[in-house]
Amino acid sequence: MSFALSPFTPMGIRSIQEQRDRWERKRSRTARELVLSEQRYCEQLDLVVTYFVEILKAKGTLRQDIRESIFSSIKSIHLINQTLLTHLELGRFGIGFEEFCTHLQLYNTYVDNIQTAKKVLMVQVKKSKAFRRFKKLQESRPELNQQKLEDLLPLPLQRIQQYKHFLRDLTENTSPDNPEFQQLSKAVKAVSEVTQRIQDNARSHENHLQLRRVQKQLKGRKTRILTPGRWYIREGWLKTVPPKGTEAKPKMFYLFSDILLQAKPCSPIHPMNGDKFACQRIYPLKECTVDKVFGHTKSQGGLISLTFARAKLLLMSDDQGDINDWYRSLCLAIGQLKSKNTVVHRRDELRRKPIRSEPDSQNTPELQQTRGIKRTMQSPPLSGWSQVS
């Protein structure tokens, strides 16, 4: 609430009050946008639940497990967002989001299932004629405004990311003395965790697609690219410099988080593998060191040296920018892999129980006598040398 300032109000008080007025105007604008967008969001959720979830359940067009794979927790999300909307329309932003955040597990479930939902929906559209007709009929309804089911399913993911920005704006323009400040601050943190989950899942899915793409580019199934924990980094043509000074040959290289794969193109006249590559060698990055031989100047091209436990590799490119990018990518991948292994080793060391003898057994007369014999047999240390125990 703002108050009119008289001309005789001191400048310090005037500036503080003006700042509070600016906060209030920004907060009111953000609150209005939040309420209007929440109303629209709930309307869209209602379309999905009413015209797809409920009717499909009543008609029995799809089995229950298939429906759950497509729609996941969207019906429950619709219910909790209707409650949130009621709070927002009454101006109870702090209480509304405090209660809403207790149900964020529903969003986590939906986020983790979204790729499965897209895949199952695509399969059912392709194989089920009845569902294909039903989907087309429902999407033609005027209430859906030409929106496809594929456009409606990602709405909860988009909305949770919008909440993050709305909540930050509300918190930044709410006085710390306001009772809602703490509630909104906690809501920002909780919602940010879900948005991070969305980003992590998206990166994992994109990485999975890249690994599958590379796997399909390689001839045969002997080379296994799809390995848990492996991340795709980059690929490209580089020339390998042979040790005997013969002509450098171009090879295709794939860099992952744990390996560097060298491949050559298959014969273009091969009936099945003409567009694929044959894996020649896999270099583990675990014990690899990388050095830039030249290419750090403004001269054209560059050369990098890779040293492995049982091999050495010289890679060359006529493009200096390209070889510099490869050098940086290799250094980063090797550094991250080594730091990860160091953390694992430290954890293992911390988990080991120290080997200790029983306290009473260390002071037995026999042991004391043995120690005495050892001490008499040891010669005194030479001057200038430290005694090694």
Side-chain angles (χ1 to χ4, degrees), residues 26-41 81 84 88 93-94 97 100 158-174 184-185 187-189 191-192 195:
K26 290 180 180 178
R27 177 184 166 88
S28 298
R29 184 169 59 250
T30 301
R32 184 168 56 254
E33 292 174 358
L34 174 58
V35 173
L36 292 175
S37 59
E38 186 67 19
Q39 290 171 344
R40 174 58 181 157
Y41 175 55
N81 275 92
L84 174 62
L88 298 183
F93 297 95
F97 275 104
F100 171 78
Q158 298 167 5
R159 187 57 180 169
I160 204 74
Q161 296 182 82
Q162 292 172 359
Y163 286 146
K164 179 180 176 180
H165 300 293
F166 278 124
L167 285 167
R168 280 183 175 175
D169 290 345
L170 283 175
T171 306
E172 289 173 358
N173 296 288
T174 299
L184 294 174
S185 299
V188 170
K189 182 179 179 181
V191 169
S192 296
T195 59

Side-chain angles (χ1 to χ4, degrees), residues 230-374:
R230 175 172 293 165
W231 287 82
Y232 169 86
I233 299 177
R234 63 177 300 156
E235 65 189 68
W237 290 94
L238 291 171
K239 293 180 180 179
T240 58
V241 182
K244 295 183 179 180
T246 54
E247 184 181 358
K249 298 180 180 180
K251 304 288 183 180
M252 174 61 78
F253 284 89
Y254 298 91
L255 177 61
F256 302 94
S257 57
D258 59 334
I259 60 171
L260 177 67
L261 187 147
Q262 175 183 322
K264 67 175 183 178
C266 296
S267 174
I269 62 173
H270 194 282
M272 298 183 64
N273 300 321
D275 58 344
K276 295 188 177 183
F277 293 89
C279 176
Q280 289 184 298
R281 192 159 183 179
I282 295 176
Y283 299 93
L285 299 180
K286 185 177 180 181
E287 298 178 358
C288 174
T289 57
V290 57
D291 297 295
K292 188 183 290 186
V293 180
F294 66 89
H296 54 281
T297 64
K298 294 183 179 179
S299 60
Q300 186 178 8
L303 180 71
I304 53 178
S305 171
L306 298 174
T307 304
F308 302 92
R310 298 182 179 180
K312 188 169 183 178
L313 189 63
L314 290 175
L315 301 178
M316 185 176 70
S317 174
D318 296 331
D319 187 338
Q320 185 183 358
D322 183 49
I323 202 69
N324 287 339
D325 289 342
W326 272 99
Y327 177 75
R328 284 190 290 267
S329 298
L330 283 162
C331 289
L332 185 60
I334 294 169
Q336 290 181 345
L337 188 62
K338 287 183 177 179
S339 63
K340 182 180 179 181
N341 290 335
T342 302
V343 171
V344 171
H345 291 325
R346 286 178 180 174
R347 285 178 180 171
D348 291 341
E349 289 174 0
L350 290 173
R351 288 171 184 168
R352 291 176 189 163
K353 294 182 179 180
I355 302 175
R356 294 176 182 172
S357 303
E358 293 295 329
D360 296 338
S361 64
Q362 295 180 1
N363 297 316
T364 58
E366 293 82 359
L367 184 58
Q368 291 177 357
Q369 184 178 0
T370 305
R371 288 174 178 170
I373 294 173
K374 287 184 177 179

Side-chain angles (χ1 to χ4, degrees), residues 213-228:
R213 179 185 61 81
V214 175
Q215 185 74 70
K216 290 180 180 179
Q217 285 185 353
L218 298 177
K219 180 185 72 173
R221 299 180 181 180
K222 192 173 182 180
T223 306
R224 185 181 178 186
I225 300 299
L226 286 161
T227 301

